[in-house]
Amino acid sequence: MPIELLKYGLRRGHRPYRDIPSTPELRRSYDVVIIGGGGHGLAAAYYLSHYHGISNIAVLEKGYLAGGNTARNTTTVRSNYLTLPSIEFYREGVSLFETMSQELGFNVMFSQRGQLTLAHSDAAMRSFRLRAEMGKHAGIRAEVVDAQTVQELCPHVNMDFGGQHEVLGGLWHADGGTARHDAVAWGYAKRAAERGVEIHQRTEVTGFGIAGGRVTEIRTNRGTVLAGQVLQAAGGMNGRIAEMAGIRLPIRCFPLQAMVTQPLKPFLDILLSSSNLHTYLVQSSRGEIVIGGGTDPYQLASTRSSLPQKEALATGALQLMPFLHNVKLLRQWAGITDITPDFSPIMGASPLQNYWLDAGWGTWGFKATAVAGKRMAETIATGRVPDILMPFALERFARFELLNEMGATAAGH
Amino acid sequence: MSNRLGHGWGSRIDRNAAIGFTFEGRPVSAHPGDTIASALAAKGEWILSRSFKYHRPRGILTMAGQDANTLVQIGDEANVRADLRQVAEGMAVTPLNVSGSLRRDRGRIIDHLGRFLPVGFYYRTFFGPRRNSWLKLWEPIIRASAGLGTVSLDPAPRRYLKETRHCDVLVVGAGPAGLAAAIAAAEAGADVILAEKEPELGGALTYARFGVETADAARHLDALRRQAAAAGIAVLSGATCNGHFADNWLPVLQGDRLIRIRAAELVLATGAHEQPLIFRNNDLPGVMLSSAAQRLMRHYGVRPGRRAVVYAGDRDGYLAALDLDDAGVRIAAVIDPEAEDRDGLAPELARRGVPVMRGCTIRQARGGLHLKAVEVQDRQGGRTRLDCDLLVMAGGYTPGYQLALHAGARLSSDDGGTRFSITGVPDHVHLAGAAAGLSDLAAVIESGRIAGLRAAAGLGLAPAQELPAPVQAGWRRAAPSPAHPKGRDFVDFDEDLQVKDIENAIADGYRELELVKRYSTVGMGPSQGRHSALATARIVARKTARSLAEVGITTARPPFGPERLGLLADTTPERHRRTPLHAAHLAAGARMTPVGAWWRPLVYPGADAPEDAIRREIRMVREAAGMLDVSTLGKLEIRGPDAGAFLDRIYTMAHAGQPVGRVRYCLALNEMGSILDDGVAFRLSDEHFYVTATTGAVDRLFAEMMLQKTIMGARVDIQNVTAAFGAMNLTGPRAREVLERLPGSIDFGRAGFAFLDGREGELAGCPVRVMRIGFTGELSYEIHLPQSHAAGLWAALLEAGADLGLRPYGLEASRILRLEKGHIIIGQDTDALSTPDELGMGWALSRKKPFYIGKPAVERRRALGDKRRLCGFALPDEGNAAGVGESALVLQDGKPVGHVTSFGYSPTLGQWIGLAHVAPDQAEPGSRITLRGFAGAEVEAPVVALPFHDKDNARQEM
Ligand SMILES: Cc1cc2nc3c(=O)[nH]c(=O)nc-3n(C[C@H](O)[C@H](O)[C@H](O)COP(=O)(O)OP(=O)(O)OC[C@H]3O[C@@H](n4cnc5c(N)ncnc54)[C@H](O)[C@@H]3O)c2cc1C
């Protein structure tokens, strides 16, 4: 038993950890106001306060801390994308996860078990090969594997030899893993708060005052505040909030659903997904099978889950592992995802001088929590967008310099 | 010692028959109708499993499948609710979370280590000493204790059925309220489905007690069942309505059947969930809800104990005491937290000699594997120990809120947090009975009748009169027990969480209900907070000095109860499509491959090795004739006065002016100017086009067309006839000769039927549409015809052309044939960003049309300049030592600038050829590109002008 628990057990009574301070009164002004207390906003607050000496920060969160997509996602962390800018960016993201528990002194349970994406068609094999080649070029671990290796990596998968969904091979990404989503947000919140960052829960941004190309004030349900710099990191609400600031983002909202089964003794060690079946499976450390897939087919800003999507996910899951038919579903849910035309985020400057964007995270942004927070903090602190973020600028749409990550985000997030 | 009660008890069991099963390997005999839990209880076995974290013994709590205490494993099925599942002969039942045996479980030691495992402990440690210690060292230990049941990797197969039904009114719950609602709606003329999760109708009337006299309730039950039978209601029993989705779309699970019901009006008569009390050792076997004790007695004829203490936080406690007394259970005392008799039942108890202790609460329960005694505390702090083996808790209820909350309603409480009610119920949903907060039997039945009439009024079947709103009675809640310094007062049994865990979570900074849940895991287990949500909300409200309304009470997400994945999945074994020529391909020895939804022939190897067969097929097409099954092409009929104008909007070329009898290439873009799909359009008449699309894109294209039709207000009719037509492409220098050998109405002569012409007519007795188009660059005819004729014509053509060398060819040959001609495959040589310009397809963009979808973007992108180009390349010599293949990178100054999209060996040219995305400045024929082969070596290749073969495209015009 670790020493920490021994010490705890031998103490009398509970000495509270006080990870998250209660919401204080809103002050009149802050150096930085962060809209959205999800993983991204909290990570940015952490990096600003710990690496850039800026602590006069308010994080405004309309609901409870990190209750948006940070609380709803299926926590895939990986870097096997298609384009070089993406791979380089997410590679940094994965490496930050590798040291996150140590950095925060808070166990985020990052578990690099590897991700296997199955190919059931030539087209999928072709696209995996391209991702593997790009990945190798960028120095990440991504390999195309054959059917036999698939069976070795995941003995329980249904190979469907001779069938319509015969597994032809896969993309093995040894760097892939999962982390405890809530813990990531709480860890950042705790450490940011220790430096004096204020976290305001139940504080909803309702509008802006804008003059001279700058945001001059931020209106909330609890009063109006002034800010030197503003960071928008509002998850599914990104399109709407930008609109309040007079900025049009190329974002459309689609619900994304997921579900978990009752806990079972562990039998699935890796992250398993199939791009053809639009389904992925991972067994959590509680033993639940988390099942996810692609977004709903139509645009909607709703977090209600649906029966057809549940049926589709179950169909995919049983195609991959038919023996799960007796396993019982426990819960299903949905989040609103902010999808861009090239399935890549929008980071960096906005048309307003002191207003910075961290948006368009769609179905893939959890893995970027650390790196986006770190690099956005750097951007705000220095007033300069670092090279690694340049390809993700909002202007890329006007220049048609898109990143095309559609194929690489379809099934695995 | 048998706990079976005498006749008069046990409505669900058949005492005249016996069946046997095993529990932990021990044989147990039971009656048909028994559940696993009732059969074991009848034998005096009260422990069903151990708890998840502390391995505490757990037994019956609700007797209604509402808790995780009774989860067991049956053979290969994990996590079965023992209080719900009926016994079957030979069933092998084993308990969960046991190392050793149920009574002597080695895991029990953890119960004593609890103080070393504070709430959220895993966030504080387990991540050192090294960077990956969590993964390598700690997680394996934690995972080893994770999970409840064990999944079988090879379970017996099961056949699940799905059906869809529609009705005017769906009533969920067949208690007195639901029955009354269903009867009222049906009598008003509605088509009603009544879904009840229990095997019989009647709900609380089948087990609960409503007064000193029981005859009254029996009369009601009888009358309601009779009226229901007479009213023509479709009854689904043993059927759980497991969720509510948008527009009253409700899944109902009945055994191995999933019934999806669309209901115009919905009545939720889902009853109420009795809530356990929180005190030290409230999880001991022998401590159960009053409704559980009543279900045991009335349904299964099982005596829940020998000597009972009854906690009467509400009237139902007194009524349960009367039942226990009737069943011969000795009652040590009835504990009433109130000083006064509010229910008027005390005189009856006094008459029976049952002692009542007023103004008392339960301080703790005692016992090891089973309850031995209860310690009661009065308002002055005086304590009394009462020996007993049964503690019955009547601690109040919450309305059955889950489905209503899925539908968008909220659970609200009065200020004191003693009454909960469902508010904000959406339109077309009506509450009745206990779910609406009523407990008096007459009021419950009346509320059901009213809900049924409201539903009927919603359908226009009953006069839309103002119906009286039901009286909100609400539920009384028991006074909380005093906190016990030693804890073991469980808030959440599934997760083994005690009061202090919740309090500590709050103290750690997790002050919002959702955060408490996530941090402590309260409510995350199989019972999904049914018993813990309110208790938790109360603790949060108290500890953060807010009202329950401010804290928010709870959320509920589907499903309501556990739901097997097999019920949800579509496991139809063969979901793929076969073309009408499938049998012919098999007979010809084709090797088949799935392509999207279809099976297609890859190659016809005959006696040859596949490589050789592919080359043979290619040569055959170039030198004689071949035939490819293209039935999988998407096919659309576009009819109407605006057909031409409509296609002009969807596609980039000009169709309004396209002459009848001509075929034109079609290219569809999206708003970004990127390529969506391609195909051809054959104008059959002024107002009729026949359009093809790629196999994988046709459904999306059809949906897009329907949308555009609506946006334009176009007078067109669009039909997706993909599966209605078969199609084949006859190609090669001798193709015309073959066609001319068959009788028919079409003139295939070179002058009368030119390249890109289309004809309708008859061929070998089949109605056909023939287009002079193809992918191979040879003289080609694509023949489309009703799928029922396809196999006949295919055979006739093969026979007619046999001596000319005509044979079918497969997909592999087709890929090379088109590559030799430099034709692109959408989705392979293009991606989501591909523009026509970068593919060198500027010729397909009409300059005259003012608009087509994607035109503004195409023009902007043209002004910005190409980012890349698609070009042809050839490898210098015949070998491919570097292992170049599709997806190999194109490097410029060591950086990837593109990749190979298509690649293969051309027997016609005797060379390896391919298409690749390259940097714009590399794309001109004559420049050289660097490719990285899969073997790792780099190789230089010249860029070659397209097409590779038959540079001036003369052969297709032959
Ligand atoms: C079902 C599902 C599965 C997913 N799976 C994965 C996965 O496996 N891997 C992966 O990398 N990504 C995944 N994602 C995506 C990922 O969850 C998100 O991209 C990521 O969490 C975004 O983090 P964020 O901090 O930017 O946004 P959020 O966590 O959504 O935080 C934004 C916050 O802003 C707040 N906010 C909104 N409006 C206002 C306002 N007006 N005022 C104040 N606050 C406001 C919201 O309440 C919210 O808390 C998944 C998403 C979903 C829905």
Side-chain angles (χ1 to χ4, degrees):
Chain A
M1 179 175 295
I3 215 76
E4 173 80 8
L5 296 184
L6 263 180
K7 280 196 298 202
Y8 180 94
L10 298 174
R11 258 194 323 251
R12 286 210 143 260
H14 180 72
R15 185 154 5 109
Y17 290 102
R18 298 198 197 292
D19 296 335
I20 303 158
S22 343
T23 299
E25 289 300 312
L26 262 187
R27 286 189 282 121
R28 183 68 188 134
S29 108
Y30 297 89
D31 291 342
V32 179
V33 166
I34 297 175
I35 303 169
H40 283 235
L42 294 166
Y46 167 81
Y47 281 101
L48 280 168
S49 59
H50 281 254
Y51 288 78
H52 300 285
I54 300 173
S55 303
N56 181 20
I57 301 175
V59 178
L60 309 182
E61 167 53 55
K62 76 171 175 182
Y64 65 92
L65 190 76
N69 286 350
T70 299
R72 295 160 201 268
N73 78 90
T74 51
T75 79
T76 306
V77 175
R78 64 184 178 91
S79 59
N80 56 351
Y81 281 77
L82 178 63
T83 65
L84 218 43
S86 301
I87 301 174
E88 283 167 357
F89 174 77
Y90 291 110
R91 183 186 62 197
E92 180 168 317
V94 172
S95 73
L96 289 171
F97 265 98
E98 287 168 352
T99 51
M100 195 183 288
S101 295
Q102 271 75 15
E103 165 113 22
L104 297 176
F106 201 77
N107 190 356
V108 302
M109 299 176 215
F110 182 50
S111 186
Q112 247 170 331
R113 308 168 163 281
Q115 184 202 34
L116 177 64
T117 312
L118 303 176
H120 312 262
S121 69
D122 288 346
M125 279 306 271
R126 258 197 306 275
S127 84
F128 289 178
R129 205 162 282 125
L130 182 54
R131 283 164 64 188
E133 290 299 305
M134 293 298 284
K136 269 193 280 180
H137 182 86
I140 61 161
R141 293 187 289 170
E143 292 294 336
V144 170
V145 294
D146 61 14
Q148 190 188 337
T149 313
V150 165
Q151 280 179 297
E152 283 159 17
L153 288 167
C154 191
H156 307 318
V157 77
N158 170 26
M159 301 298 289
D160 200 16
F161 288 123
Q164 197 186 14
H165 297 292
E166 174 165 346
V167 176
L168 304 178
L171 183 63
W172 171 240
H173 179 39
D175 298 325
T178 56
R180 175 97 180 98
H181 49 358
D182 293 328
V184 171
W186 299 340
Y188 281 128
K190 176 182 173 75
R191 298 304 170 198
E194 280 173 4
R195 288 288 166 99
V197 170
E198 291 181 5
I199 298 169
H200 294 266
Q201 300 185 64
R202 301 193 186 214
T203 307
E204 179 170 5
V205 172
T206 53
F208 297 95
I210 292 168
R214 298 175 62 85
V215 169
T216 51
E217 59 174 37
I218 300 158
R219 294 190 280 275
T220 80
N221 59 335
R222 294 173 60 223
T224 297
V225 293
L226 310 177
Q229 305 290 321
V230 183
L231 172 63
Q232 176 192 319
M237 291 294 114
N238 273 321
R240 284 268 283 283
I241 303 225
E243 226 171 87
M244 287 188 215
I247 304 167
R248 245 190 93 198
L249 299 182
I251 279 178
R252 297 187 296 166
C253 289
F254 290 84
L256 178 65
Q257 307 192 33
M259 58 198 204
V260 291
T261 67
Q262 291 184 349
L264 296 162
K265 294 290 174 207
F267 66 92
L268 175 62
D269 282 335
I270 59 167
L271 287 73
L272 182 69
S273 69
S274 156
S275 41
N276 293 83
L277 297 170
H278 290 284
T279 307
Y280 57 92
L281 303 174
V282 51
Q283 189 167 23
S284 75
S285 47
R286 285 168 58 83
E288 302 159 337
I289 314 292
V290 181
I291 307 174
T295 61
D296 287 9
Y298 11 76
Q299 291 184 53
L300 200 66
S302 157
T303 55
R304 236 189 127 174
S305 51
S306 75
L307 185 55
Q309 185 63 4
K310 172 156 70 172
E311 294 181 273
L313 289 176
T315 303
L318 292 199
Q319 174 65 37
L320 293 174
M321 296 197 164
F323 59 86
L324 294 178
H325 73 82
N326 257 336
V327 168
K328 287 144 192 143
L329 199 68
L330 188 60
R331 196 165 55 243
Q332 65 176 131
W333 66 91
I336 302 172
T337 57
D338 44 335
I339 308 269
T340 52
D342 59 356
F343 291 70
S344 292
I346 301 169
M347 287 182 280
S350 79
L352 299 172
Q353 283 162 44
N354 61 340
Y355 194 84
W356 305 93
L357 297 170
D358 177 42
W361 286 108
T363 69
W364 52 82
F366 173 69
K367 67 183 68 62
T369 305
V371 59
K374 178 175 171 193
R375 295 302 196 160
M376 287 310 300
E378 180 185 337
T379 304
I380 292 168
T382 63
R384 206 196 133 263
V385 179
D387 289 349
I388 194 170
L389 297 192
M390 289 304 275
F392 302 99
L394 175 60
E395 307 95 80
R396 75 173 183 278
F397 297 101
R399 295 195 307 258
F400 274 101
E401 281 169 3
L402 272 58
L403 287 159
N404 189 23
E405 291 295 350
M406 180 153 116
T409 25
H413 304 325
Chain B
M1 190 165 42
S2 171
N3 285 326
R4 206 59 93 167
L5 295 168
H7 286 273
W9 300 97
S11 59
R12 293 191 183 169
I13 54 166
D14 173 6
R15 289 172 194 266
N16 300 320
I19 44 180
F21 67 102
T22 63
F23 182 62
E24 248 194 337
R26 296 186 299 278
V28 184
S29 76
H31 294 303
D34 258 326
T35 63
I36 295 162
S38 70
L40 289 170
K43 302 283 169 227
E45 290 226 31
W46 293 98
I47 314 176
L48 291 164
S49 272
R50 292 274 176 165
S51 70
F52 166 61
K53 188 155 122 202
Y54 296 138
H55 285 242
R56 291 171 65 88
R58 294 280 164 81
I60 291 169
L61 175 67
T62 62
M63 205 54 208
Q66 301 294 324
D67 58 302
N69 279 6
T70 64
L71 291 186
V72 293
Q73 176 105 15
I74 301 181
D76 55 26
E77 190 180 353
N79 303 356
V80 177
R81 291 169 291 177
D83 54 349
L84 221 54
R85 179 65 61 90
Q86 294 199 354
V87 293
E89 184 67 47
M91 193 180 240
V93 183
T94 46
L96 297 187
N97 304 316
V98 170
S99 41
S101 73
L102 197 48
R103 298 187 75 82
R104 295 162 180 276
D105 172 23
R106 288 190 296 276
R108 183 67 204 262
I109 177 87
I110 300 173
D111 198 6
H112 304 290
L113 297 177
R115 61 178 309 168
F116 297 101
L117 303 174
V119 62
F121 67 90
Y122 28 77
Y123 299 122
R124 309 290 163 194
T125 177
F126 298 137
F127 53 90
R130 310 172 73 85
R131 213 175 78 166
N132 59 357
S133 293
W134 164 253
L135 176 65
K136 297 285 178 218
L137 179 64
W138 299 112
E139 195 185 25
I141 301 175
I142 293 190
R143 263 170 93 85
S145 64
L148 294 172
T150 306
V151 67
S152 161
L153 298 174
D154 186 23
R158 257 187 131 106
R159 230 172 85 77
Y160 296 97
L161 299 169
K162 276 193 192 189
E163 64 184 65
T164 301
R165 290 171 69 165
H166 298 261
C167 63
D168 292 338
V169 181
L170 172 66
V171 179
V172 180
L179 281 167
I183 293 163
E187 285 178 350
D191 162 24
V192 179
I193 298 178
L194 174 62
E196 166 57 54
K197 66 181 159 52
E198 298 283 333
E200 58 185 332
L201 303 186
L205 286 173
T206 66
Y207 62 84
R209 185 166 183 140
F210 292 85
V212 174
E213 291 307 321
T214 55
D216 197 31
R219 232 184 2 262
H220 276 297
L221 178 58
D222 199 47
L224 287 168
R225 281 180 176 169
R226 250 185 306 104
Q227 289 171 50
I233 297 162
V235 172
L236 299 171
S237 57
T240 306
C241 181
N242 224 26
H244 179 284
F245 295 95
D247 299 330
N248 281 350
W249 181 228
L250 301 109
V252 173
L253 319 184
Q254 190 183 39
D256 288 347
R257 184 185 300 265
L258 171 67
I259 307 164
R260 294 166 297 193
I261 300 178
R262 180 78 72 187
E265 300 284 328
L266 173 67
V267 177
L268 295 175
T270 44
H273 296 300
E274 203 170 15
Q275 297 287 302
L277 298 177
I278 296 172
F279 52 86
R280 179 171 165 76
N281 293 329
N282 57 343
D283 63 330
L284 268 178
V287 179
M288 68 180 76
L289 301 176
S290 74
S291 50
Q294 289 174 313
R295 285 175 196 261
L296 270 176
M297 295 186 287
R298 288 246 161 69
H299 288 160
Y300 306 105
V302 171
R303 187 197 330 266
R306 304 252 151 204
R307 189 177 151 90
V309 170
V310 178
Y311 178 86
D314 59 21
R315 179 180 154 88
D316 285 344
Y318 284 92
L319 295 169
L322 295 179
D323 278 344
L324 289 166
D325 186 56
D326 284 351
V329 178
R330 283 193 42 212
I331 298 177
V334 172
I335 314 293
D336 188 333
E338 301 290 331
E340 312 280 300
D341 172 23
R342 291 176 310 184
D343 301 304
L345 291 166
E348 175 65 14
L349 287 178
R351 192 182 68 73
R352 296 176 179 226
V354 175
V356 178
M357 297 171 71
R358 297 201 168 281
C360 290
T361 47
I362 295 177
R363 183 174 145 78
Q364 65 172 320
R366 291 177 175 278
L369 293 172
H370 196 86
L371 178 69
K372 285 206 175 70
V374 170
E375 199 176 294
V376 173
Q377 180 166 319
D378 64 26
R379 287 187 177 170
Q380 288 70 45
R383 293 173 193 165
T384 315
R385 179 188 158 116
L386 299 169
D387 289 335
C388 59
D389 64 352
L390 171 67
L391 171 61
V392 163
M393 301 179 280
Y397 297 80
T398 58
Y401 57 80
Q402 285 84 354
L403 296 178
L405 264 55
H406 300 171
R410 283 178 307 283
L411 189 61
S412 314
S413 81
D414 65 351
D415 287 343
T418 53
R419 282 175 191 181
F420 295 92
S421 52
I422 299 169
T423 56
V425 178
D427 290 347
H428 310 291
V429 180
H430 315 269
L431 296 177
L438 300 164
S439 57
D440 172 72
L441 184 54
V444 162
I445 293 173
E446 177 62 5
S447 81
R449 199 183 65 82
I450 292 171
L453 286 176
R454 283 193 162 171
L459 297 158
L461 290 170
Q465 68 204 4
E466 211 28 52
L467 294 159
V471 205
Q472 296 286 321
W475 298 105
R476 220 159 78 205
R477 258 303 293 215
S481 293
H484 193 287
K486 286 193 185 145
R488 295 293 184 273
D489 39 4
F490 289 92
V491 175
D492 185 330
F493 294 158
D494 302 15
E495 299 285 316
D496 271 345
L497 290 166
Q498 312 166 40
V499 173
K500 72 164 197 280
D501 293 321
I502 308 297
E503 293 179 345
N504 292 348
I506 297 161
D508 285 348
Y510 302 87
R511 298 162 60 86
E512 298 294 339
L513 190 58
E514 270 297 327
L515 292 175
V516 170
K517 251 187 179 169
R518 290 166 173 274
Y519 182 67
S520 70
T521 72
V522 65
M524 305 282 240
S527 42
Q528 291 289 290
R530 279 185 180 69
H531 302 121
S532 59
L534 297 177
T536 306
R538 261 206 206 89
I539 298 171
V540 174
R542 177 160 49 80
K543 282 280 165 184
T544 61
R546 288 178 293 182
S547 71
L548 267 180
E550 280 175 285
V551 168
I553 299 177
T554 189
T555 48
R557 294 204 170 92
F560 166 66
E563 186 166 280
R564 277 175 296 162
L565 290 177
L567 275 171
L568 297 166
D570 175 1
T571 46
T572 319
E574 299 237 329
R575 259 172 296 150
H576 49 248
R577 294 173 165 190
R578 294 169 175 190
T579 77
L581 306 176
H582 192 83
H585 301 320
L586 294 185
R591 198 190 273 191
M592 304 297 287
T593 186
V595 179
W598 298 86
W599 282 104
R600 298 194 67 182
L602 203 55
V603 58
Y604 301 80
D608 300 331
E611 290 308 296
D612 298 335
I614 293 164
R615 292 182 187 193
R616 162 169 53 70
E617 290 176 3
I618 294 169
R619 217 176 322 113
M620 171 183 83
V621 170
R622 294 272 177 244
E623 291 168 8
M627 200 155 60
L628 179 71
D629 179 2
V630 292
S631 303
T632 59
L633 278 172
K635 308 173 200 81
L636 301 161
E637 303 260 23
I638 317 283
R639 291 189 188 85
D642 293 339
F646 180 69
L647 293 187
D648 272 353
R649 182 181 175 93
I650 304 285
Y651 292 111
T652 59
M653 292 183 82
H655 297 281
Q658 178 180 341
V660 170
R662 287 291 282 171
V663 178
R664 211 158 260 184
Y665 182 68
C666 292
L667 186 66
L669 309 180
N670 63 16
E671 284 164 344
M672 283 200 302
S674 298
I675 293 178
L676 265 190
D677 193 32
D678 71 352
V680 295
F682 172 13
R683 189 164 210 165
L684 297 163
S685 72
D686 256 7
E687 301 194 352
H688 187 184
F689 287 84
Y690 181 68
V691 177
T692 65
T694 54
T695 307
V698 63
D699 291 336
R700 205 161 8 106
L701 188 71
F702 176 67
E704 178 66 20
M705 283 187 173
M706 296 302 279
L707 178 67
Q708 292 300 332
K709 168 187 155 156
T710 310
I711 292 172
M712 274 177 83
R715 291 167 300 164
V716 287
D717 175 62
I718 307 161
Q719 265 185 298
N720 184 349
V721 294
T722 298
F725 282 84
M728 54 202 77
N729 197 296
L730 174 61
T731 179
R734 319 206 64 167
R736 181 181 296 122
E737 237 177 300
V738 178
L739 288 169
E740 284 177 336
R741 288 181 176 187
L742 290 182
S745 64
I746 300 171
D747 169 16
F748 289 103
R750 184 164 182 219
F753 196 164
F755 181 56
L756 292 181
D757 273 351
R759 296 286 177 269
E760 278 187 288
E762 202 188 280
L763 184 64
C766 308
V768 292
R769 290 173 181 170
V770 186
M771 297 178 269
R772 250 196 84 177
I773 53 166
F775 221 32
T776 65
E778 303 295 333
L779 170 64
S780 307
Y781 297 87
E782 194 163 290
I783 306 163
H784 291 241
L785 73 177
Q787 59 99 11
S788 54
H789 286 277
L793 185 63
W794 176 265
L797 283 165
L798 286 176
E799 195 189 318
D803 61 322
L804 300 174
L806 172 66
R807 303 277 181 284
Y809 67 98
L811 221 46
E812 289 283 13
S814 165
R815 284 173 183 157
I816 298 293
L817 286 161
R818 67 89 201 179
L819 180 57
E820 289 174 342
K821 290 300 297 174
H823 288 309
I824 58 158
I825 296 182
I826 305 281
Q828 176 168 343
D829 301 301
T830 67
D831 61 28
L833 302 183
S834 295
T835 65
D837 284 336
E838 65 184 36
L839 301 173
M841 291 177 67
W843 56 266
L845 305 176
S846 160
R847 261 176 288 269
K848 292 199 207 98
K849 284 200 293 184
F851 182 78
Y852 54 83
I853 295 169
K855 180 165 180 174
V858 162
E859 283 166 2
R860 290 248 0 238
R861 291 174 77 170
R862 189 172 283 166
L864 289 164
D866 286 338
K867 315 283 186 223
R868 60 176 182 183
R869 294 285 297 277
L870 190 79
C871 69
F873 69 91
L875 287 193
D877 51 35
E878 193 178 314
N880 178 14
V884 172
E886 286 164 1
S887 300
L889 298 184
V890 177
L891 302 175
Q892 192 177 35
D893 305 327
K895 286 216 187 75
V897 290
H899 68 277
V900 175
T901 59
S902 288
F903 185 74
Y905 181 76
S906 160
T908 316
L909 302 167
Q911 222 180 358
W912 291 89
I913 56 172
L915 300 174
H917 281 301
V918 301
D921 61 358
Q922 301 177 303
E924 286 313 311
S927 66
R928 301 183 74 78
I929 53 174
T930 304
L931 303 170
R932 180 151 66 205
F934 298 130
E938 292 175 12
V939 56
E940 278 213 350
V943 170
V944 177
L946 296 175
F948 295 99
H949 171 61
D950 181 25
K951 297 263 179 210
D952 47 8
N953 293 326
R955 300 180 65 84
Q956 65 196 14
E957 313 242 10
M958 281 202 316

